[in-house]
Amino acid sequence: MDLKILSLATDKTTDKLQEFLQTLKADELACLLQNQAVKGRAVGTFLRAILKGSPCSEEDGALRRYKIYSCCIQLVESGDLQQDVASEIIGLLMLEVHHFPGPLLVDLANDFVGAVREDRLVNGKSLELLPIILTALATTKEVLACGKGDLNGKECKRQLIDTLCSVRWAQRYTIQLTSMFKDIHLTPEEMNLVVAKVLTMFPKLNLQEIPPLVYQLLVLSSKGSRRSVLDGIIAFFRDLDRQHSEEQSSDELSELVTAPADELHHVEGTIILHIVFAIKLDCELGRELLKHLKAGQQGDPSKCLCPFSIALLLSLTRIQRFEEQVFDLLKTSVVKSFKDLQLLQGSKFLQTLVPQRTCVSAMILEVVKNSVHSWDHVTQGLIEFGFILMDSYGPKKILDGKSVEIGSSLSKMTNQHACKLGANILLETFKIHEMIRQEILEQVLNRVVTRTSSPISHFLDLFSDIIMYAPLILQNCSKVTETFDYLSFLPLQTVQGLLKAVQPLLKISMSMRDSLILVLRKAMFASQLDARKSAVAGFLLLLKNFKVLGSLPSSQCTQSIGVTQVHVDVHSRYSAVANETFCLEIIDSLKRCLGQQADVRLMLYEGFYDALRRNSQLASSIMQTLFSQLKQFYEPEPDLLPPLKLGACVLTQGSQIFLQEPLDHLLSCIQHCLAWYKSRVVPLQQGDEGEEEEEEEELYHELDDMLESITIRMIKSELEDFELDKSADFSQNTNVGVKNNICACLIMGVCEVLIEYNFSIGNFSKSKFEEILSLFMCYKKFSDILSEKAGKGKAKLASKASDSLLSMKFVSDLLTALFRDSIQSHEESLSILRSSSEFMHYAVNVALQKVQQLIRTGHMSGPDGQNPDKIFQNLCDITRVLLWRYTSIPTSVEESGKKEKGKSISLLCLEGLQKTFSAVQQFYQPKVQQFLQALDVMGTEEEEAGVTVTQRASFQIRQFQRSLLNLLSSEEEDFNSKEALLLISVLSTLSKLLEPTSPQFVQMLSWTSKICKEYSREDASFCKSLMNLFFSLHVLYKSPVTLLRDLSQDIHGQLGDIDQDVEIEKTDHFAMVNLRTAAPTVCLLVLSQAEKVLEEVDWLITKIKGSLNQETLSDETTPEDASSQAVPPTLLIEKAIIMQLGTLVTFFHELVQTALPSGSCVDTLLKDLSKIYSTLTALVKYYLQVCQSSRRIPNTVEKLVKLSGSHLTPVCYSFISYVQNKSSNNPKCSEKEKAAASTTMAKVLRETKPIPNLVFAIEQYEKFLIQLSKKSKVNLMLHMKLSTSRDFKIKGSVLDMVLREDRGDENEEGTASAHTQQDREPAKKRRKKCLS
């Protein structure tokens, strides 16, 4: 039978074939076809023959063809056929589809939909036929019965696709169904349907099935709906990541519930590769991705940015055309995230409305962590981004050796956070990925070496962290050794930072240490001074931080590298003899520096003491060196005055005078070394003395005798003995003057050193304390002369003289002895020092200098000046003493007793407290609890353990509150403004330690509010600092808008109205607002606060606008989900915005009617008025968008618009007229002066344009209000009136005056002149019009 069909098919006509096929039943034909297909013999030929005998032009033929198609589809799906046979059958069927009549095409398509619905597909091979069927159907022009109605071909195709997407898809052929759609021509609506359906299948599939499905979806996206595809993929993995992190944090067995985290991240990595590959082929996809993520920045960034999307962006940087755009987007996101976080932290108003979400920085670090799962395509982008952040947001400027941030405090903090994030990215990436460690290290060191003019402290910190993490890995790193070669050419600060960072490597790598020593030796003989200083710094660091004798030091070198790591190398290769030889070689090298410039010697003296303490075996060698150096400048004759050869310390080169020997620092070094020797070494040597110890003892005794002799002779010496009496030349313009200045500074330094030396050895002896006072009087003589005589050179000298040579520990001990020592046996000797108020002033002043130096540079001069723990301990001791002194003897008591020039001791103590509190907050934030605990002894350790920082800070605050109340209770003329300002500053610093939710914070706020309301002072600076404190507290409690409104009423009452005929009823909300402080002080303060509120409102409007856009997008994809979730918080925010703006309108309503003085108040008010109108315009634009999404505008918006139209706009125009009239009507000026003043004023107005900007802002507001009125069908312009001040006005008096002048000109000049005047007249009128 099959042979007959084949033979009939060879005939030229198909009549016989058709007749024969009609005789066969459908089942027989199906059987024949099945047999042929299963055997695989010439099935193509047989199928062609049947199709040839079943023409679609005849009804029977068409039906037979339809049945053959159904049979073939079943055969292909059965899985019984060979692959090539199935493919051949599908290929033949595809070719013949377009011959089908429309109704049968619909039936065929419905068969497929039914098979999908009923899960009858086995392998999905037949789905290749469906695209051809749907395409053929779309081209059919006849009307077809499809579903419930009659539709044309395209509509029918649309309905079939709709039905197909609405039925349930089985997991196993989801990928094939998705792949099938790429061969169908889809309209945008159909495309959206398909994409939405495929995205809903994601959660139902196994993780391993998602990458191929995503691939098919990306291929499909080339037809359209790119944004929906990307949004769906990102949203799916965002939710999956979130679910995983929640499960991991709540349940350790989470991996039993969902897929393991590493499997998820591997799948994410594969999908990212798919997307990047798709973007390479279709750039539009990349553009859509960036557009989508940029748009998401406006609303809730966490809906778009997540670890997955960030990893995708970083992978995208491998495509050159997107690299710059991606990094810009990520930079913007990071900075915006930090700014938003700071804005939220600084405002209680915002905190109540906007929940704090995950910061972008945390997401990026999550990406770093996840990149361990073979995300090699992400790591390169991570490295580049880390360096971009560090380069862009690191410190930008160097001032006095310290890097300085530029810009506002908000941007400073943001920049610091962004730079820190960059360093964290690089450090974490370095830890995880071995392959790219070399690259990170090279880039860091390249920046350290090449950036000599810009600060690189952040790169040195990163380098140090890298070394601390992996010292053993880097011990043979050639790049570090190469960097040593550049030490001679780098700034000293960089060299010190670099060598500190590599200390752990030097401990475990002998070769690296040898390389460094070679470089340092070469640098020692370099011609550049900086190179020699770098060599000294390097050698001293080796002696300080690299204890070569005995075991490792316990304090400096343990850090975080294990002791075992270090012992491996140290103990196997170094012997004690080699160590000693090495140390002595370094000291020999350093001895050569004693013949070099003063700066080099100075470094040496400052470093020797630390080296001595760390390596006690070197004491003899170091002390011998210092002793030999001192002998060169010491006069051995006991009666010779002065005891030191000051002339030898100064060098004359040509016409220039230089300091050759910093003798004061040499003596300081000797004094500290002696003190250390007596306190640490002598007690250990008792009963065990050899020859070496005896020699050392002799040396130390000799040094003691020398210092004793110098002390006695310095006290005896008069000014004339130094050739520096009051008649001497101290000007900076002559060589003699410069030399005298240098000598005077040296003598003052020597006196300070001797004061500390005698105090340390005096043991509260009366004679020693008398000597100390005599030394101080010597110091004071020279100090007074310099301050009198230096003249213009004084400022230059101040920096040299300001750094006292007294050590921080001594200052702490001295203040404790002077103010707190009540031991009976010490009373008599201490009374000598206490009797001199000048000495007491000096002691407190030095403490202030030391703390100021810490704030300025981050460390202190002198011993332990670089040790943070010791500095902190000394700060605690000093603060405790100063606090006791200030609270025990108030300034008022002290000043009533004595009337002296300068600040009282109590006031100096308060200044010291202000500085120490701010220094602790700046450098020791984690130790604040410990610091406050050191200030007050409250009870036993158990009791103190439960006391919080807030409670401790509150206790201290109460003491300073009492002091301020006492000050304010005094008469106005007795009011000490300096003390009040310092107290406010201390209270501000301490209030930052209070928890904003605590009752102590509320108490502080109410107390500050009470002071502002009840006390009136005409001191503008005090008022400003107090109000600043009040506002800084208030914003952390609630929004300050009502406060601003009350203050504006007070200002209006004090300054009067712009209309002089109107009498203002004075309000007295705040007594601190008076005629003297109202303007400009309080006025500018409230305006700056109003600006901050407007900034917050703008931020909220941008946020809800972005959320509205995100809602619109989600409505397009999933309309059923979007409505319930985002609306309530948005409505709350809208209500809060309208309340804020309504109160601000009343605030500006008061200020705009106030007779403000010309200048900054008027300028700022005009700018802020423009800002509020811009904000109102932004709100109106938002409601224009709301109206598009078929929501009504709330009644509160109508009320706000009414308020702005009735209370603000008219008075704004009145205020503009007032400002313009004020500039032109000054009765005291002559006509010429008026003309000059008006010209200047016009020029200023033209340049700054505050008035035109305000007018433009009002007009923009009204323009968009008109649009909103039309959209919302609510007449919002009902209360908006055009102001008369902007109408064209003819001023009669001015016109008469001009006409009279014109007549006079006509009489004098004749007819020609009259013509000219007629030409000019319209121009004058026009100018008048625009000025009015």
Side-chain angles (χ1 to χ4, degrees):
M1 201 181 290
D2 51 348
L3 293 172
K4 188 171 182 182
I5 292 169
L6 289 169
S7 65
L8 287 171
T10 56
D11 292 350
K12 287 185 178 179
T13 59
T14 59
D15 297 342
K16 289 181 182 178
L17 180 59
Q18 284 180 39
E19 286 171 13
F20 180 71
L21 288 174
Q22 279 171 358
T23 61
L24 295 175
K25 291 180 181 176
D27 294 342
E28 290 175 339
L29 202 56
C31 260
L32 283 172
L33 187 59
Q34 188 173 347
N35 290 334
Q36 287 286 340
V38 171
K39 289 173 187 174
R41 284 185 289 171
V43 68
T45 315
F46 184 68
L47 187 56
R48 273 194 208 93
I50 294 172
L51 292 172
K52 189 177 179 182
S54 310
C56 290
S57 53
E58 296 177 13
E59 191 177 341
D60 290 344
L63 283 170
R64 192 182 313 119
R65 186 175 278 231
Y66 167 70
K67 286 172 183 173
I68 291 295
Y69 263 71
S70 298
C71 175
C72 287
I73 289 166
Q74 286 171 11
L75 273 173
V76 169
E77 284 299 322
S78 68
D80 297 336
L81 306 185
Q82 294 174 11
Q83 188 72 29
D84 55 340
V85 173
S87 298
E88 189 179 2
I89 291 171
I90 292 293
L92 279 170
L93 295 181
M94 282 178 177
L95 291 170
E96 296 294 327
V97 164
H98 65 281
H99 296 303
F100 265 107
L104 289 179
L105 283 173
V106 173
D107 291 343
L108 270 176
N110 278 325
D111 287 349
F112 273 104
V113 173
V116 171
R117 182 190 291 115
E118 294 159 21
D119 196 8
R120 283 189 273 112
L121 296 177
V122 178
N123 57 18
K125 178 73 177 171
S126 61
L127 285 172
E128 293 175 22
L129 195 56
L130 186 55
I132 311 297
I133 294 168
L134 291 172
T135 306
L137 188 59
T139 56
T140 306
K141 292 180 181 174
E142 60 185 299
V143 176
L144 304 167
C146 185
K148 292 179 182 177
D150 295 337
L151 308 168
N152 63 29
K154 285 185 180 176
E155 290 168 345
C156 204
K157 179 193 107 177
R158 162 71 199 260
Q159 187 163 346
L160 283 164
I161 289 173
D162 198 349
T163 311
L164 185 59
C165 290
S166 61
V167 301
R168 193 176 64 82
W169 291 4
Q171 284 185 30
R172 62 182 181 278
Y173 46 73
T174 300
I175 294 166
Q176 285 158 300
L177 278 166
T178 309
S179 174
M180 173 202 78
F181 281 109
K182 72 176 184 285
D183 298 323
I184 306 172
H185 177 72
L186 298 170
T187 62
E189 294 81 10
E190 292 165 353
M191 188 69 196
N192 286 337
L193 277 172
V194 173
V195 168
K197 176 63 181 176
V198 176
L199 290 173
T200 57
M201 292 304 296
F202 273 32
K204 299 171 186 174
L205 299 177
N206 295 328
L207 267 179
Q208 296 303 331
E209 293 176 302
I210 291 175
L213 179 59
V214 166
Y215 177 78
Q216 295 301 336
L217 197 54
L218 289 168
V219 173
L220 184 62
S221 72
S222 60
K223 292 174 175 288
S225 293
R226 293 176 178 85
R227 183 174 288 201
S228 302
V229 169
L230 291 166
D231 187 26
I233 295 168
I234 289 169
F236 173 70
F237 283 104
R238 180 191 66 224
D239 296 340
L240 210 55
D241 279 337
R242 193 176 295 157
Q243 185 187 339
H244 259 274
S245 59
E246 283 170 7
E247 284 175 355
Q248 281 175 357
S249 58
S250 62
D251 184 9
E252 292 177 2
L253 303 173
S254 61
E255 292 188 358
L256 298 175
V257 184
T258 54
D262 57 345
E263 185 188 347
L264 170 63
H265 298 317
H266 277 297
V267 167
E268 286 176 341
T270 309
I271 284 167
I272 288 168
L273 282 172
H274 282 327
I275 297 174
V276 172
F277 180 69
I279 289 171
K280 281 180 183 173
L281 299 175
D282 178 14
C283 290
E284 192 56 40
L285 190 65
R287 283 193 280 273
E288 279 298 327
L289 174 65
L290 290 173
K291 266 190 218 167
H292 169 62
L293 293 175
K294 278 177 186 171
Q297 292 292 296
Q298 300 305 319
D300 179 6
S302 62
K303 285 189 178 176
C304 288
L305 279 181
C306 58
F308 176 79
S309 61
I310 290 169
L312 175 56
L313 282 172
L314 289 166
S315 296
L316 201 58
T317 56
R318 299 170 80 186
I319 303 172
Q320 194 174 359
R321 70 168 66 189
F322 293 115
E323 184 179 7
E324 194 176 334
Q325 294 175 59
V326 168
F327 283 134
D328 284 345
L329 172 61
L330 284 172
K331 264 171 64 177
T332 310
S333 303
V334 165
V335 171
K336 184 178 180 297
S337 173
F338 283 130
K339 279 184 179 171
D340 289 356
L341 195 63
Q342 277 191 272
L343 208 59
L344 275 171
Q345 286 172 348
S347 168
K348 182 71 177 175
F349 166 67
L350 291 180
Q351 287 167 22
T352 53
L353 291 171
V354 183
Q356 205 160 318
R357 292 187 174 86
T358 313
C359 188
V360 175
S361 59
M363 295 179 193
I364 294 172
L365 292 173
E366 184 73 20
V367 172
V368 178
K369 194 173 82 176
N370 295 345
S371 67
V372 74
H373 302 286
S374 307
W375 288 12
D376 298 338
H377 43 91
V378 175
T379 49
Q380 196 57 43
L382 275 171
I383 295 169
E384 284 182 49
F385 185 55
F387 280 113
I388 284 170
L389 286 178
M390 290 191 78
D391 291 337
S392 305
Y393 301 110
K396 294 282 182 281
K397 195 176 166 192
I398 295 182
L399 193 68
D400 294 337
K402 191 190 175 194
S403 56
V404 176
E405 293 279 0
I406 309 164
S408 67
S409 59
L410 182 71
S411 63
K412 270 188 212 170
M413 290 294 289
T414 304
N415 288 357
Q416 285 169 7
H417 287 314
C419 179
K420 184 68 181 161
L421 172 63
N424 285 341
I425 290 169
L426 292 169
L427 180 60
E428 295 304 314
T429 311
F430 183 90
K431 290 178 181 179
I432 291 171
H433 298 282
E434 286 183 34
M435 297 297 290
I436 45 91
R437 284 177 179 171
Q438 189 68 22
E439 185 187 343
I440 292 175
L441 200 63
E442 279 187 16
Q443 289 210 43
V444 170
L445 289 173
N446 286 344
R447 282 165 170 78
V448 168
V449 169
T450 55
R451 299 191 178 178
T452 51
S453 56
S454 56
I456 48 142
S457 54
H458 48 308
F459 287 111
L460 286 172
D461 291 341
L462 173 61
F463 181 51
S464 178
D465 290 339
I466 286 172
I467 288 175
M468 296 305 291
Y469 171 72
L472 292 176
I473 296 169
L474 300 176
Q475 63 176 316
N476 297 317
C477 179
S478 59
K479 186 66 187 173
V480 178
T481 315
E482 283 171 30
T483 309
F484 291 157
D485 296 336
Y486 299 99
L487 287 182
S488 305
F489 310 104
L490 297 178
L492 180 61
Q493 204 177 10
T494 303
V495 172
Q496 287 176 320
L498 187 63
L499 293 178
K500 268 186 190 172
V502 297
Q503 285 303 316
L505 294 185
L506 300 177
K507 290 177 175 59
I508 56 174
S509 172
M510 194 175 185
S511 59
M512 195 170 282
R513 195 194 69 173
D514 293 342
S515 302
L516 176 62
I517 289 168
L518 277 172
V519 170
L520 293 178
R521 279 182 180 155
K522 284 180 192 171
M524 191 70 84
F525 300 100
S527 56
Q528 301 91 351
L529 177 63
D530 276 354
R532 297 200 297 279
K533 285 166 80 172
S534 297
V536 173
F539 279 131
L540 284 171
L541 271 169
L542 282 173
L543 288 180
K544 281 184 210 171
N545 297 321
F546 192 85
K547 188 166 183 179
V548 288
L549 295 176
S551 60
L552 281 168
S554 57
S555 59
Q556 292 295 316
C557 304
T558 51
Q559 297 176 0
S560 67
I561 57 169
V563 175
T564 51
Q565 291 181 339
V566 182
H567 275 291
V568 173
D569 199 357
V570 172
H571 290 283
S572 61
R573 297 185 191 176
Y574 299 164
S575 67
V577 177
N579 287 335
E580 192 165 3
T581 309
F582 163 67
C583 256
L584 294 172
E585 277 180 15
I586 289 180
I587 291 175
D588 282 342
S589 298
L590 289 172
K591 278 181 186 174
R592 298 190 183 101
C593 300
L594 295 172
Q596 296 190 7
Q597 283 95 332
D599 285 351
V600 181
R601 299 185 194 188
L602 191 62
M603 283 188 69
L604 199 57
Y605 299 150
E606 286 177 347
F608 261 156
Y609 173 67
D610 280 336
L612 181 77
R613 284 194 312 166
R614 305 270 160 65
N615 290 308
S616 54
Q617 301 293 323
L618 301 176
S620 173
S621 181
I622 288 176
M623 292 307 290
Q624 191 64 55
T625 305
L626 293 171
F627 178 64
S628 306
Q629 188 71 2
L630 179 60
K631 279 174 77 175
Q632 296 177 37
F633 305 96
Y634 174 70
E635 294 283 6
E637 291 293 326
D639 299 325
L640 201 58
L641 299 179
L644 300 166
K645 301 173 185 173
L646 294 175
C649 298
V650 182
L651 176 70
T652 307
Q653 278 186 350
S655 61
Q656 288 186 308
I657 305 287
F658 296 104
L659 173 66
Q660 173 76 5
E661 175 63 45
L663 188 59
D664 46 357
H665 284 84
L666 171 61
L667 276 171
S668 176
C669 181
I670 290 172
Q671 184 263 318
H672 289 304
C673 291
L674 268 176
W676 172 83
Y677 176 78
K678 288 173 187 171
S679 63
R680 298 291 169 87
V681 181
V682 172
L684 299 174
Q685 287 184 348
Q686 287 174 358
D688 182 26
E689 293 187 4
E691 288 183 20
E692 285 185 17
E693 282 77 5
E694 285 180 13
E695 285 177 19
E696 277 184 37
E697 286 242 359
E698 281 179 26
L699 173 67
Y700 290 121
H701 281 310
E702 200 167 341
L703 280 168
D704 263 330
D705 293 342
M706 284 171 83
L707 288 172
E708 191 67 40
S709 173
I710 293 170
T711 301
I712 293 164
R713 287 190 277 165
M714 283 295 283
I715 293 166
K716 288 180 182 175
S717 299
E718 297 292 333
L719 292 175
E720 290 75 13
D721 294 325
F722 298 106
E723 299 176 6
L724 293 174
D725 57 3
K726 289 189 177 181
S727 60
D729 179 13
F730 283 93
S731 72
Q732 295 287 337
N733 303 324
T734 63
N735 285 355
V736 175
V738 171
K739 182 182 177 182
N740 288 345
N741 268 304
I742 292 171
C743 289
C745 287
L746 282 176
I747 294 163
M748 286 164 66
V750 168
C751 287
E752 284 193 315
V753 173
L754 294 173
I755 287 171
E756 182 167 350
Y757 169 73
N758 282 288
F759 189 90
S760 65
I761 65 164
N763 196 19
F764 292 89
S765 143
K766 189 177 177 183
S767 60
K768 281 293 173 196
F769 278 22
E770 284 170 350
E771 286 177 6
I772 287 172
L773 200 57
S774 302
L775 285 166
F776 169 69
M777 295 317 292
C778 177
Y779 169 90
K780 193 170 182 310
K781 281 179 200 169
F782 285 99
S783 174
D784 291 344
I785 288 175
L786 282 182
S787 57
E788 282 175 31
K789 299 273 185 172
K792 290 179 184 177
K794 182 176 159 188
K796 193 176 179 183
L797 200 71
S799 61
K800 171 74 184 162
S802 65
D803 292 341
S804 169
L805 286 177
L806 300 182
S807 66
M808 188 69 170
K809 179 76 175 75
F810 168 67
V811 173
S812 168
D813 292 345
L814 179 63
L815 287 175
T816 308
L818 289 174
F819 296 137
R820 294 301 307 269
D821 195 328
S822 54
I823 298 169
Q824 194 65 40
S825 58
H826 298 170
E827 190 68 34
E828 189 181 359
S829 52
L830 280 171
S831 64
I832 295 165
L833 297 181
R834 288 171 180 165
S835 65
S836 168
S837 64
E838 289 177 340
F839 184 75
M840 305 264 276
H841 270 83
Y842 164 73
V844 180
N845 263 320
V846 172
L848 257 68
Q849 283 175 22
K850 291 284 179 188
V851 180
Q852 189 61 45
Q853 188 185 27
L854 174 66
I855 294 169
R856 194 177 70 248
T857 62
H859 56 81
M860 295 182 184
S861 57
D864 294 320
Q866 306 276 353
N867 185 334
D869 294 333
K870 290 285 175 72
I871 291 176
F872 176 71
Q873 190 54 53
N874 288 325
L875 272 179
C876 291
D877 295 341
I878 287 173
T879 310
R880 189 167 54 244
V881 175
L882 295 180
L883 185 62
W884 182 88
R885 175 64 171 76
Y886 177 72
T887 49
S888 303
I889 308 172
T891 318
S892 52
V893 175
E894 190 178 351
E895 286 182 345
S896 62
K898 289 182 182 177
K899 289 287 178 187
E900 295 175 358
K901 276 203 280 183
K903 297 174 185 173
S904 65
I905 292 175
S906 286
L907 196 58
L908 283 174
C909 288
L910 182 58
E911 197 176 328
L913 288 168
Q914 184 252 331
K915 285 182 167 54
T916 52
F917 284 137
S918 59
V920 168
Q921 277 209 351
Q922 187 177 342
F923 297 104
Y924 299 100
Q925 189 66 39
K927 289 187 172 183
V928 165
Q929 170 86 331
Q930 202 177 325
F931 173 72
L932 292 173
Q933 194 173 336
L935 298 189
D936 60 308
V937 181
M938 294 178 71
T940 62
E941 285 185 20
E942 289 87 18
E943 287 173 11
E944 292 199 358
V947 183
T948 62
V949 169
T950 296
Q951 289 167 325
R952 290 186 191 284
S954 179
F955 175 75
Q956 298 301 338
I957 283 169
R958 285 196 294 275
Q959 296 193 69
F960 293 107
Q961 284 175 338
R962 282 195 290 273
S963 300
L964 185 59
L965 276 174
N966 291 337
L967 260 182
L968 290 167
S969 304
S970 62
E971 296 297 322
E972 181 82 43
E973 58 270 13
D974 296 333
F975 181 67
N976 189 333
S977 174
K978 286 179 184 174
E979 185 176 2
L981 285 171
L982 287 168
L983 281 168
I984 295 289
S985 179
V986 170
L987 286 168
S988 297
T989 308
L990 287 171
S991 66
K992 289 172 188 168
L993 302 175
L994 298 175
E995 183 60 44
T997 53
S998 64
Q1000 289 89 348
F1001 182 87
V1002 178
Q1003 185 273 332
M1004 174 74 183
L1005 174 61
S1006 57
W1007 180 85
T1008 314
S1009 174
K1010 187 182 174 189
I1011 295 290
C1012 293
K1013 285 177 179 177
E1014 295 180 5
Y1015 290 91
S1016 177
R1017 284 286 180 272
E1018 294 190 348
D1019 190 303
S1021 54
F1022 170 70
C1023 175
K1024 183 179 178 181
S1025 58
L1026 181 65
M1027 295 301 274
N1028 269 327
L1029 170 62
F1030 185 28
F1031 278 121
S1032 69
L1033 294 168
H1034 203 283
V1035 291
L1036 294 174
Y1037 183 66
K1038 64 177 181 180
S1039 176
V1041 281
T1042 49
L1043 200 64
L1044 293 174
R1045 186 188 58 207
D1046 293 347
L1047 282 163
S1048 66
Q1049 289 170 1
D1050 288 352
I1051 294 168
H1052 192 184
Q1054 291 291 339
L1055 297 178
D1057 199 87
I1058 53 175
D1059 185 351
Q1060 294 176 358
D1061 300 332
V1062 176
E1063 243 185 76
I1064 302 295
E1065 187 182 332
K1066 286 191 178 181
T1067 56
D1068 55 352
H1069 297 112
F1070 292 92
M1072 199 50 74
V1073 181
N1074 52 49
L1075 199 58
R1076 192 67 71 82
T1077 59
T1081 309
V1082 179
C1083 181
L1084 288 176
L1085 258 176
V1086 292
L1087 284 170
S1088 73
Q1089 287 299 323
E1091 276 180 44
K1092 287 176 186 172
V1093 175
L1094 283 172
E1095 187 186 339
E1096 289 175 5
V1097 170
D1098 275 333
W1099 185 79
L1100 283 173
I1101 293 172
T1102 308
K1103 205 155 194 63
I1104 56 173
K1105 212 180 266 186
S1107 299
L1108 191 67
N1109 292 336
Q1110 285 176 345
E1111 274 179 53
T1112 312
L1113 281 173
S1114 59
D1115 281 345
E1116 289 170 13
T1117 52
T1118 53
E1120 69 277 1
D1121 300 343
S1123 58
S1124 62
Q1125 291 173 2
V1127 172
T1130 307
L1131 285 176
L1132 279 173
I1133 293 172
E1134 285 177 22
K1135 188 180 174 184
I1137 287 170
I1138 291 163
M1139 290 292 291
Q1140 293 289 93
L1141 287 173
T1143 317
L1144 279 179
V1145 166
T1146 58
F1147 160 76
F1148 281 113
H1149 169 73
E1150 291 289 342
L1151 279 189
V1152 163
Q1153 294 180 87
T1154 307
L1156 294 170
S1158 300
S1160 56
C1161 287
V1162 171
D1163 291 348
T1164 311
L1165 179 55
L1166 288 169
K1167 284 175 190 168
D1168 287 355
L1169 284 168
S1170 300
K1171 280 181 187 171
I1172 193 172
Y1173 276 107
S1174 302
T1175 306
L1176 285 165
T1177 308
L1179 187 66
V1180 171
K1181 286 180 181 176
Y1182 166 72
Y1183 279 108
L1184 277 169
Q1185 279 182 287
V1186 168
C1187 287
Q1188 286 173 358
S1189 60
S1190 69
R1191 240 183 75 198
R1192 279 193 72 252
I1193 61 166
N1195 293 334
T1196 46
V1197 175
E1198 292 179 48
K1199 289 177 183 174
L1200 177 64
V1201 171
K1202 180 181 176 182
L1203 190 68
S1204 67
S1206 60
H1207 277 62
L1208 193 57
T1209 307
V1211 285
C1212 275
Y1213 287 126
S1214 305
F1215 186 68
I1216 290 170
S1217 302
Y1218 164 76
V1219 172
Q1220 290 175 331
N1221 291 338
K1222 194 168 184 182
S1223 64
S1224 56
N1225 300 336
N1226 192 345
K1228 293 181 184 177
C1229 298
S1230 66
E1231 290 298 322
K1232 283 185 180 178
E1233 285 173 341
K1234 273 188 189 178
S1238 63
T1239 310
T1240 311
M1241 193 65 184
K1243 186 182 176 186
V1244 169
L1245 288 173
R1246 236 185 356 262
E1247 285 172 358
T1248 56
K1249 297 184 180 175
I1251 293 174
N1253 285 348
L1254 174 56
V1255 173
F1256 176 73
I1258 295 171
E1259 288 173 350
Q1260 284 293 100
Y1261 173 52
E1262 291 172 355
K1263 171 187 162 185
F1264 284 102
L1265 269 181
I1266 293 167
Q1267 289 181 24
L1268 185 59
S1269 298
K1270 288 176 183 173
K1271 274 267 170 69
S1272 63
K1273 307 289 189 291
V1274 178
N1275 185 8
L1276 296 170
M1277 294 302 292
L1278 191 64
H1279 304 282
M1280 291 288 165
K1281 297 170 187 171
L1282 189 64
S1283 171
T1284 52
S1285 73
R1286 285 174 57 237
D1287 293 344
F1288 177 76
K1289 290 189 291 186
I1290 297 175
K1291 294 184 180 177
S1293 58
V1294 175
L1295 186 64
D1296 288 344
M1297 187 176 73
V1298 171
L1299 288 171
R1300 276 200 301 276
E1301 284 175 7
D1302 288 349
R1303 286 195 201 100
D1305 290 343
E1306 281 172 13
N1307 293 337
E1308 289 172 15
E1309 295 174 14
T1311 315
S1313 173
H1315 284 298
T1316 313
Q1317 193 61 37
Q1318 281 170 5
D1319 293 340
R1320 283 181 194 159
E1321 188 60 39
K1324 279 193 178 182
K1325 283 184 182 175
R1326 279 198 297 274
R1327 194 174 69 190
K1328 201 72 184 169
K1329 177 184 172 184
C1330 55
L1331 280 172
S1332 297

